[in-house]
Amino acid sequence: MTKALMVVSGADALVLADGTSHPTGFWAEEVVESLRVLREAGVEVAVATPGGVRPTVDAASLEGNDFGAAVDAIADELASPLVLADVDAADFDAVYLPGGHGPMADLAVDGALGRLLVRFEAEGKVVAALCHGPAGLLSAVREDGAFAFAGRELTVFTDEEERQGGLDVPYSVEARLRDLGARVAAGPAWSSTVVVDGNLVTGQNPQSSVDTARQVAGLLARRG
């Protein structure tokens, strides 16, 4: 059975551009739908967070939908995630980074995640990131200072979607990825947009959750 490591943000707040603190965490749809699709496809998924902290669901991601029940159904699993720094890359075939604004606060600068991503990329293992999850890719800097995903095509929650969302974020993930040499492909705002570049699979927004997970599951299945 193929195994995937889902790295979920442990942050519960993001300091905005004006210096105020905004409550955040992981986006419910991105975690629960990705887990559902991957597991239905026969992929074994383990959840990890920085420090092994219990991740916080972004309350905004529970408004006007039924994802709260799905989050409750995995509450025990979320209560005892793996410690990210203790994870051995050799134990997994893929790494998957869901979003919410949380990754901008912790995964973007997490050294343990960066080392894991650099190794996965070097070995050609599947790397997937969704919505703000690509903020975690910013941590993937090689020993020579090079960004591990420079020159790769990917997508991310776009600046246009940030503007429409109305949150004054401290930095643009899209711009930082471009500045590091990634080739960002943006679909229409709020569309299900997934970009596959070899072993790298990225989804643009929550609406891309199912399609991103399906692409990952398919890629893993083809690799056997």
Side-chain angles (χ1 to χ4, degrees):
M1 178 180 288
T2 55
K3 298 179 67 175
L5 179 72
M6 179 175 284
V7 181
V8 180
S9 170
D12 60 8
L14 177 68
V15 178
L16 301 181
D18 63 3
T20 60
S21 181
H22 178 77
T24 187
F26 69 85
W27 202 256
E29 179 177 4
E30 297 174 32
V31 169
V32 300
E33 286 292 85
S34 297
L35 283 173
R36 179 184 63 79
V37 171
L38 290 171
R39 286 172 171 165
E40 286 179 356
V43 180
E44 182 180 339
V45 186
V47 175
T49 63
V53 301
R54 181 173 187 160
T56 299
V57 62
D58 190 318
S61 70
L62 302 177
E63 296 174 359
N65 58 59
D66 298 323
F67 291 120
V71 172
D72 289 342
I74 59 171
D76 290 344
E77 183 174 5
L78 296 178
S80 55
L82 299 176
V83 177
L84 179 58
D86 293 342
V87 171
D88 187 343
D91 294 336
F92 295 93
D93 306 292
V95 61
Y96 194 108
L97 312 177
H101 283 95
M104 296 180 68
D106 61 354
L107 299 187
V109 293
D110 191 283
L113 176 61
R115 290 187 292 274
L116 193 74
L117 291 171
V118 167
R119 181 170 170 185
F120 268 63
E121 173 63 8
E123 296 178 358
K125 292 185 175 182
V126 176
V127 175
L130 174 61
C131 196
H132 288 87
L137 301 182
L138 297 172
S139 68
V141 179
R142 300 191 182 103
E143 290 185 0
D144 64 359
F147 178 50
F149 300 98
R152 304 298 296 279
E153 186 174 14
L154 53 79
T155 192
V156 63
F157 197 76
T158 65
D159 289 347
E160 176 59 28
E161 287 166 323
E162 290 285 17
R163 282 191 288 270
Q164 292 185 27
L167 196 63
D168 189 17
V169 292
Y171 62 90
S172 161
V173 181
E174 178 184 351
R176 286 202 177 180
L177 288 167
R178 291 185 189 276
D179 289 345
L180 289 171
R183 296 182 294 116
V184 178
W190 316 111
S191 66
S192 178
T193 297
V194 181
V195 174
V196 181
D197 182 359
N199 65 314
L200 179 63
V201 181
T202 49
Q204 182 170 307
N205 46 37
Q207 289 78 10
S208 309
S209 299
V210 169
D211 288 338
T212 301
R214 285 175 175 165
Q215 289 286 349
V216 171
L219 186 54
L220 289 170
R222 290 191 293 274
R223 292 181 169 210

mmCIF file of all heavy atoms in Angstrom, residues 113-153:
data_model
loop_
_atom_site.group_PDB
_atom_site.id
_atom_site.type_symbol
_atom_site.label_atom_id
_atom_site.label_comp_id
_atom_site.label_asym_id
_atom_site.label_seq_id
_atom_site.Cartn_x
_atom_site.Cartn_y
_atom_site.Cartn_z
ATOM 1 N N LEU A 113 10.171 20.635 7.660
ATOM 2 C CA LEU A 113 9.410 20.457 6.426
ATOM 3 C C LEU A 113 10.296 20.727 5.220
ATOM 4 O O LEU A 113 10.259 19.984 4.230
ATOM 5 C CB LEU A 113 8.200 21.395 6.402
ATOM 6 C CG LEU A 113 7.384 21.369 5.104
ATOM 7 C CD1 LEU A 113 6.805 19.985 4.840
ATOM 8 C CD2 LEU A 113 6.276 22.418 5.140
ATOM 9 N N GLY A 114 11.097 21.773 5.292
ATOM 10 C CA GLY A 114 11.975 22.096 4.178
ATOM 11 C C GLY A 114 12.913 20.955 3.829
ATOM 12 O O GLY A 114 13.082 20.609 2.656
ATOM 13 N N ARG A 115 13.501 20.344 4.840
ATOM 14 C CA ARG A 115 14.413 19.214 4.592
ATOM 15 C C ARG A 115 13.659 18.037 3.983
ATOM 16 O O ARG A 115 14.165 17.351 3.086
ATOM 17 C CB ARG A 115 15.100 18.806 5.891
ATOM 18 C CG ARG A 115 16.118 19.830 6.388
ATOM 19 C CD ARG A 115 16.890 19.321 7.583
ATOM 20 N NE ARG A 115 16.056 19.174 8.778
ATOM 21 C CZ ARG A 115 15.806 20.145 9.638
ATOM 22 N NH1 ARG A 115 16.293 21.369 9.427
ATOM 23 N NH2 ARG A 115 15.069 19.936 10.714
ATOM 24 N N LEU A 116 12.454 17.796 4.474
ATOM 25 C CA LEU A 116 11.633 16.706 3.948
ATOM 26 C C LEU A 116 11.292 16.949 2.478
ATOM 27 O O LEU A 116 11.423 16.048 1.635
ATOM 28 C CB LEU A 116 10.355 16.589 4.778
ATOM 29 C CG LEU A 116 9.504 15.332 4.602
ATOM 30 C CD1 LEU A 116 10.168 14.147 5.267
ATOM 31 C CD2 LEU A 116 8.121 15.552 5.210
ATOM 32 N N LEU A 117 10.874 18.165 2.150
ATOM 33 C CA LEU A 117 10.505 18.489 0.782
ATOM 34 C C LEU A 117 11.702 18.402 -0.158
ATOM 35 O O LEU A 117 11.581 17.904 -1.286
ATOM 36 C CB LEU A 117 9.890 19.882 0.717
ATOM 37 C CG LEU A 117 8.515 20.045 1.358
ATOM 38 C CD1 LEU A 117 8.129 21.525 1.426
ATOM 39 C CD2 LEU A 117 7.455 19.263 0.597
ATOM 40 N N VAL A 118 12.838 18.881 0.286
ATOM 41 C CA VAL A 118 14.047 18.801 -0.544
ATOM 42 C C VAL A 118 14.382 17.350 -0.851
ATOM 43 O O VAL A 118 14.719 16.998 -1.990
ATOM 44 C CB VAL A 118 15.228 19.506 0.152
ATOM 45 C CG1 VAL A 118 16.548 19.154 -0.532
ATOM 46 C CG2 VAL A 118 15.018 21.013 0.158
ATOM 47 N N ARG A 119 14.249 16.489 0.133
ATOM 48 C CA ARG A 119 14.541 15.069 -0.092
ATOM 49 C C ARG A 119 13.512 14.436 -1.027
ATOM 50 O O ARG A 119 13.876 13.691 -1.935
ATOM 51 C CB ARG A 119 14.584 14.322 1.232
ATOM 52 C CG ARG A 119 14.909 12.839 1.060
ATOM 53 C CD ARG A 119 15.194 12.157 2.362
ATOM 54 N NE ARG A 119 15.274 10.708 2.191
ATOM 55 C CZ ARG A 119 15.415 9.840 3.195
ATOM 56 N NH1 ARG A 119 15.520 10.289 4.434
ATOM 57 N NH2 ARG A 119 15.455 8.548 2.952
ATOM 58 N N PHE A 120 12.226 14.724 -0.797
ATOM 59 C CA PHE A 120 11.186 14.181 -1.672
ATOM 60 C C PHE A 120 11.418 14.619 -3.117
ATOM 61 O O PHE A 120 11.289 13.816 -4.044
ATOM 62 C CB PHE A 120 9.797 14.634 -1.196
ATOM 63 C CG PHE A 120 9.134 13.679 -0.258
ATOM 64 C CD1 PHE A 120 9.674 13.396 0.979
ATOM 65 C CD2 PHE A 120 7.949 13.052 -0.601
ATOM 66 C CE1 PHE A 120 9.064 12.509 1.849
ATOM 67 C CE2 PHE A 120 7.319 12.162 0.249
ATOM 68 C CZ PHE A 120 7.875 11.891 1.487
ATOM 69 N N GLU A 121 11.736 15.878 -3.302
ATOM 70 C CA GLU A 121 11.967 16.393 -4.647
ATOM 71 C C GLU A 121 13.193 15.725 -5.276
ATOM 72 O O GLU A 121 13.158 15.315 -6.442
ATOM 73 C CB GLU A 121 12.137 17.908 -4.600
ATOM 74 C CG GLU A 121 12.555 18.560 -5.899
ATOM 75 C CD GLU A 121 11.550 18.406 -7.021
ATOM 76 O OE1 GLU A 121 10.419 17.912 -6.798
ATOM 77 O OE2 GLU A 121 11.907 18.759 -8.160
ATOM 78 N N ALA A 122 14.256 15.588 -4.510
ATOM 79 C CA ALA A 122 15.478 14.978 -5.036
ATOM 80 C C ALA A 122 15.255 13.528 -5.439
ATOM 81 O O ALA A 122 15.857 13.036 -6.402
ATOM 82 C CB ALA A 122 16.592 15.068 -3.994
ATOM 83 N N GLU A 123 14.381 12.831 -4.716
ATOM 84 C CA GLU A 123 14.113 11.420 -4.985
ATOM 85 C C GLU A 123 12.955 11.217 -5.955
ATOM 86 O O GLU A 123 12.609 10.078 -6.279
ATOM 87 C CB GLU A 123 13.843 10.688 -3.668
ATOM 88 C CG GLU A 123 15.051 10.667 -2.739
ATOM 89 C CD GLU A 123 14.776 9.986 -1.399
ATOM 90 O OE1 GLU A 123 13.621 9.551 -1.174
ATOM 91 O OE2 GLU A 123 15.711 9.898 -0.602
ATOM 92 N N GLY A 124 12.344 12.303 -6.406
ATOM 93 C CA GLY A 124 11.244 12.203 -7.357
ATOM 94 C C GLY A 124 9.953 11.689 -6.761
ATOM 95 O O GLY A 124 9.053 11.256 -7.487
ATOM 96 N N LYS A 125 9.818 11.759 -5.441
ATOM 97 C CA LYS A 125 8.580 11.345 -4.796
ATOM 98 C C LYS A 125 7.512 12.422 -4.990
ATOM 99 O O LYS A 125 7.813 13.580 -5.279
ATOM 100 C CB LYS A 125 8.803 11.091 -3.306
ATOM 101 C CG LYS A 125 9.671 9.874 -3.005
ATOM 102 C CD LYS A 125 9.744 9.627 -1.511
ATOM 103 C CE LYS A 125 10.497 8.357 -1.182
ATOM 104 N NZ LYS A 125 10.524 8.087 0.281
ATOM 105 N N VAL A 126 6.268 12.030 -4.803
ATOM 106 C CA VAL A 126 5.157 12.946 -5.047
ATOM 107 C C VAL A 126 5.103 14.033 -3.975
ATOM 108 O O VAL A 126 5.116 13.741 -2.776
ATOM 109 C CB VAL A 126 3.822 12.186 -5.094
ATOM 110 C CG1 VAL A 126 2.647 13.153 -5.249
ATOM 111 C CG2 VAL A 126 3.829 11.172 -6.241
ATOM 112 N N VAL A 127 5.037 15.273 -4.427
ATOM 113 C CA VAL A 127 4.861 16.436 -3.552
ATOM 114 C C VAL A 127 3.578 17.125 -3.991
ATOM 115 O O VAL A 127 3.423 17.470 -5.164
ATOM 116 C CB VAL A 127 6.046 17.413 -3.658
ATOM 117 C CG1 VAL A 127 5.779 18.668 -2.830
ATOM 118 C CG2 VAL A 127 7.339 16.734 -3.212
ATOM 119 N N ALA A 128 2.648 17.306 -3.061
ATOM 120 C CA ALA A 128 1.372 17.938 -3.381
ATOM 121 C C ALA A 128 1.094 19.058 -2.389
ATOM 122 O O ALA A 128 1.420 18.948 -1.202
ATOM 123 C CB ALA A 128 0.235 16.911 -3.336
ATOM 124 N N ALA A 129 0.493 20.134 -2.887
ATOM 125 C CA ALA A 129 0.138 21.264 -2.028
ATOM 126 C C ALA A 129 -1.118 21.921 -2.578
ATOM 127 O O ALA A 129 -1.304 22.011 -3.789
ATOM 128 C CB ALA A 129 1.281 22.272 -1.959
ATOM 129 N N LEU A 130 -1.955 22.398 -1.674
ATOM 130 C CA LEU A 130 -3.291 22.866 -2.029
ATOM 131 C C LEU A 130 -3.584 24.220 -1.402
ATOM 132 O O LEU A 130 -3.366 24.420 -0.197
ATOM 133 C CB LEU A 130 -4.305 21.823 -1.540
ATOM 134 C CG LEU A 130 -5.796 22.114 -1.653
ATOM 135 C CD1 LEU A 130 -6.209 22.311 -3.105
ATOM 136 C CD2 LEU A 130 -6.589 20.961 -1.017
ATOM 137 N N CYS A 131 -4.067 25.161 -2.223
ATOM 138 C CA CYS A 131 -4.532 26.469 -1.763
ATOM 139 C C CYS A 131 -3.389 27.282 -1.154
ATOM 140 O O CYS A 131 -2.490 27.709 -1.852
ATOM 141 C CB CYS A 131 -5.701 26.295 -0.804
ATOM 142 S SG CYS A 131 -6.648 27.804 -0.507
ATOM 143 N N HIS A 132 -3.356 27.487 0.174
ATOM 144 C CA HIS A 132 -2.219 28.129 0.820
ATOM 145 C C HIS A 132 -1.155 27.115 1.233
ATOM 146 O O HIS A 132 -0.109 27.511 1.754
ATOM 147 C CB HIS A 132 -2.676 28.918 2.056
ATOM 148 C CG HIS A 132 -3.428 30.164 1.735
ATOM 149 N ND1 HIS A 132 -4.799 30.176 1.531
ATOM 150 C CD2 HIS A 132 -3.023 31.446 1.547
ATOM 151 C CE1 HIS A 132 -5.195 31.411 1.262
ATOM 152 N NE2 HIS A 132 -4.141 32.202 1.252
ATOM 153 N N GLY A 133 -1.412 25.835 0.996
ATOM 154 C CA GLY A 133 -0.406 24.821 1.288
ATOM 155 C C GLY A 133 0.919 25.082 0.589
ATOM 156 O O GLY A 133 1.986 24.811 1.160
ATOM 157 N N PRO A 134 0.923 25.631 -0.664
ATOM 158 C CA PRO A 134 2.193 25.930 -1.309
ATOM 159 C C PRO A 134 3.069 26.925 -0.550
ATOM 160 O O PRO A 134 4.262 27.050 -0.863
ATOM 161 C CB PRO A 134 1.771 26.488 -2.677
ATOM 162 C CG PRO A 134 0.504 25.741 -2.981
ATOM 163 C CD PRO A 134 -0.202 25.701 -1.630
ATOM 164 N N ALA A 135 2.515 27.613 0.447
ATOM 165 C CA ALA A 135 3.378 28.424 1.315
ATOM 166 C C ALA A 135 4.436 27.540 1.953
ATOM 167 O O ALA A 135 5.570 27.969 2.196
ATOM 168 C CB ALA A 135 2.553 29.126 2.386
ATOM 169 N N GLY A 136 4.071 26.283 2.236
ATOM 170 C CA GLY A 136 5.035 25.354 2.807
ATOM 171 C C GLY A 136 6.194 25.065 1.879
ATOM 172 O O GLY A 136 7.305 24.751 2.347
ATOM 173 N N LEU A 137 5.961 25.165 0.570
ATOM 174 C CA LEU A 137 7.056 24.937 -0.378
ATOM 175 C C LEU A 137 8.166 25.966 -0.221
ATOM 176 O O LEU A 137 9.316 25.701 -0.582
ATOM 177 C CB LEU A 137 6.520 24.971 -1.815
ATOM 178 C CG LEU A 137 5.434 23.962 -2.194
ATOM 179 C CD1 LEU A 137 5.070 24.129 -3.668
ATOM 180 C CD2 LEU A 137 5.867 22.536 -1.909
ATOM 181 N N LEU A 138 7.838 27.139 0.315
ATOM 182 C CA LEU A 138 8.841 28.184 0.507
ATOM 183 C C LEU A 138 9.971 27.724 1.423
ATOM 184 O O LEU A 138 11.081 28.260 1.358
ATOM 185 C CB LEU A 138 8.188 29.444 1.085
ATOM 186 C CG LEU A 138 7.127 30.126 0.207
ATOM 187 C CD1 LEU A 138 6.431 31.230 0.996
ATOM 188 C CD2 LEU A 138 7.747 30.685 -1.065
ATOM 189 N N SER A 139 9.698 26.738 2.254
ATOM 190 C CA SER A 139 10.720 26.239 3.187
ATOM 191 C C SER A 139 11.749 25.348 2.515
ATOM 192 O O SER A 139 12.790 25.035 3.111
ATOM 193 C CB SER A 139 10.040 25.448 4.324
ATOM 194 O OG SER A 139 9.482 24.239 3.817
ATOM 195 N N ALA A 140 11.490 24.945 1.268
ATOM 196 C CA ALA A 140 12.328 23.944 0.596
ATOM 197 C C ALA A 140 13.532 24.599 -0.067
ATOM 198 O O ALA A 140 13.588 24.807 -1.284
ATOM 199 C CB ALA A 140 11.500 23.175 -0.422
ATOM 200 N N VAL A 141 14.518 24.913 0.739
ATOM 201 C CA VAL A 141 15.755 25.537 0.254
ATOM 202 C C VAL A 141 16.897 24.547 0.440
ATOM 203 O O VAL A 141 17.118 24.037 1.545
ATOM 204 C CB VAL A 141 16.041 26.850 1.008
ATOM 205 C CG1 VAL A 141 17.341 27.474 0.512
ATOM 206 C CG2 VAL A 141 14.881 27.822 0.831
ATOM 207 N N ARG A 142 17.597 24.265 -0.634
ATOM 208 C CA ARG A 142 18.706 23.317 -0.582
ATOM 209 C C ARG A 142 19.896 23.897 0.173
ATOM 210 O O ARG A 142 19.952 25.101 0.447
ATOM 211 C CB ARG A 142 19.125 22.909 -1.998
ATOM 212 C CG ARG A 142 18.026 22.240 -2.805
ATOM 213 C CD ARG A 142 18.618 21.632 -4.081
ATOM 214 N NE ARG A 142 17.585 21.020 -4.903
ATOM 215 C CZ ARG A 142 17.077 21.546 -5.997
ATOM 216 N NH1 ARG A 142 17.507 22.727 -6.428
ATOM 217 N NH2 ARG A 142 16.135 20.910 -6.690
ATOM 218 N N GLU A 143 20.876 23.056 0.472
ATOM 219 C CA GLU A 143 22.049 23.501 1.225
ATOM 220 C C GLU A 143 22.813 24.602 0.498
ATOM 221 O O GLU A 143 23.469 25.433 1.129
ATOM 222 C CB GLU A 143 22.968 22.319 1.509
ATOM 223 C CG GLU A 143 22.397 21.321 2.515
ATOM 224 C CD GLU A 143 23.374 20.223 2.858
ATOM 225 O OE1 GLU A 143 24.500 20.232 2.304
ATOM 226 O OE2 GLU A 143 23.018 19.360 3.685
ATOM 227 N N ASP A 144 22.727 24.620 -0.833
ATOM 228 C CA ASP A 144 23.419 25.656 -1.599
ATOM 229 C C ASP A 144 22.615 26.943 -1.704
ATOM 230 O O ASP A 144 23.021 27.886 -2.385
ATOM 231 C CB ASP A 144 23.783 25.141 -2.992
ATOM 232 C CG ASP A 144 22.566 24.802 -3.855
ATOM 233 O OD1 ASP A 144 21.422 24.949 -3.364
ATOM 234 O OD2 ASP A 144 22.761 24.374 -5.005
ATOM 235 N N GLY A 145 21.448 26.978 -1.040
ATOM 236 C CA GLY A 145 20.613 28.168 -1.034
ATOM 237 C C GLY A 145 19.599 28.231 -2.149
ATOM 238 O O GLY A 145 18.819 29.194 -2.218
ATOM 239 N N ALA A 146 19.573 27.226 -3.026
ATOM 240 C CA ALA A 146 18.640 27.230 -4.156
ATOM 241 C C ALA A 146 17.264 26.735 -3.726
ATOM 242 O O ALA A 146 17.141 25.813 -2.907
ATOM 243 C CB ALA A 146 19.177 26.352 -5.282
ATOM 244 N N PHE A 147 16.233 27.333 -4.288
ATOM 245 C CA PHE A 147 14.861 26.901 -4.036
ATOM 246 C C PHE A 147 14.614 25.602 -4.796
ATOM 247 O O PHE A 147 14.846 25.515 -6.004
ATOM 248 C CB PHE A 147 13.896 27.989 -4.506
ATOM 249 C CG PHE A 147 12.440 27.663 -4.343
ATOM 250 C CD1 PHE A 147 11.937 27.206 -3.135
ATOM 251 C CD2 PHE A 147 11.553 27.843 -5.398
ATOM 252 C CE1 PHE A 147 10.584 26.917 -2.973
ATOM 253 C CE2 PHE A 147 10.198 27.563 -5.261
ATOM 254 C CZ PHE A 147 9.712 27.094 -4.042
ATOM 255 N N ALA A 148 14.140 24.586 -4.097
ATOM 256 C CA ALA A 148 14.016 23.251 -4.676
ATOM 257 C C ALA A 148 13.021 23.182 -5.824
ATOM 258 O O ALA A 148 13.115 22.277 -6.669
ATOM 259 C CB ALA A 148 13.627 22.244 -3.594
ATOM 260 N N PHE A 149 12.071 24.110 -5.877
ATOM 261 C CA PHE A 149 11.033 24.059 -6.908
ATOM 262 C C PHE A 149 11.157 25.192 -7.929
ATOM 263 O O PHE A 149 10.196 25.498 -8.634
ATOM 264 C CB PHE A 149 9.651 24.044 -6.256
ATOM 265 C CG PHE A 149 9.453 22.862 -5.356
ATOM 266 C CD1 PHE A 149 9.631 22.972 -3.981
ATOM 267 C CD2 PHE A 149 9.138 21.622 -5.882
ATOM 268 C CE1 PHE A 149 9.483 21.868 -3.145
ATOM 269 C CE2 PHE A 149 8.988 20.510 -5.063
ATOM 270 C CZ PHE A 149 9.163 20.638 -3.691
ATOM 271 N N ALA A 150 12.336 25.794 -8.023
ATOM 272 C CA ALA A 150 12.580 26.806 -9.045
ATOM 273 C C ALA A 150 12.414 26.176 -10.422
ATOM 274 O O ALA A 150 12.872 25.053 -10.670
ATOM 275 C CB ALA A 150 13.985 27.383 -8.895
ATOM 276 N N GLY A 151 11.722 26.883 -11.295
ATOM 277 C CA GLY A 151 11.509 26.393 -12.644
ATOM 278 C C GLY A 151 10.334 25.465 -12.805
ATOM 279 O O GLY A 151 9.962 25.110 -13.930
ATOM 280 N N ARG A 152 9.704 25.076 -11.702
ATOM 281 C CA ARG A 152 8.570 24.162 -11.775
ATOM 282 C C ARG A 152 7.271 24.942 -11.942
ATOM 283 O O ARG A 152 7.115 26.052 -11.428
ATOM 284 C CB ARG A 152 8.501 23.306 -10.497
ATOM 285 C CG ARG A 152 9.774 22.524 -10.208
ATOM 286 C CD ARG A 152 10.108 21.521 -11.301
ATOM 287 N NE ARG A 152 9.090 20.498 -11.399
ATOM 288 C CZ ARG A 152 9.024 19.439 -10.592
ATOM 289 N NH1 ARG A 152 9.924 19.253 -9.648
ATOM 290 N NH2 ARG A 152 8.071 18.537 -10.748
ATOM 291 N N GLU A 153 6.322 24.321 -12.650
ATOM 292 C CA GLU A 153 5.010 24.941 -12.830
ATOM 293 C C GLU A 153 4.087 24.502 -11.707
ATOM 294 O O GLU A 153 4.012 23.306 -11.384
ATOM 295 C CB GLU A 153 4.399 24.551 -14.180
ATOM 296 C CG GLU A 153 3.090 25.284 -14.465
ATOM 297 C CD GLU A 153 2.550 25.009 -15.856
ATOM 298 O OE1 GLU A 153 3.033 24.061 -16.511
ATOM 299 O OE2 GLU A 153 1.643 25.740 -16.274
#
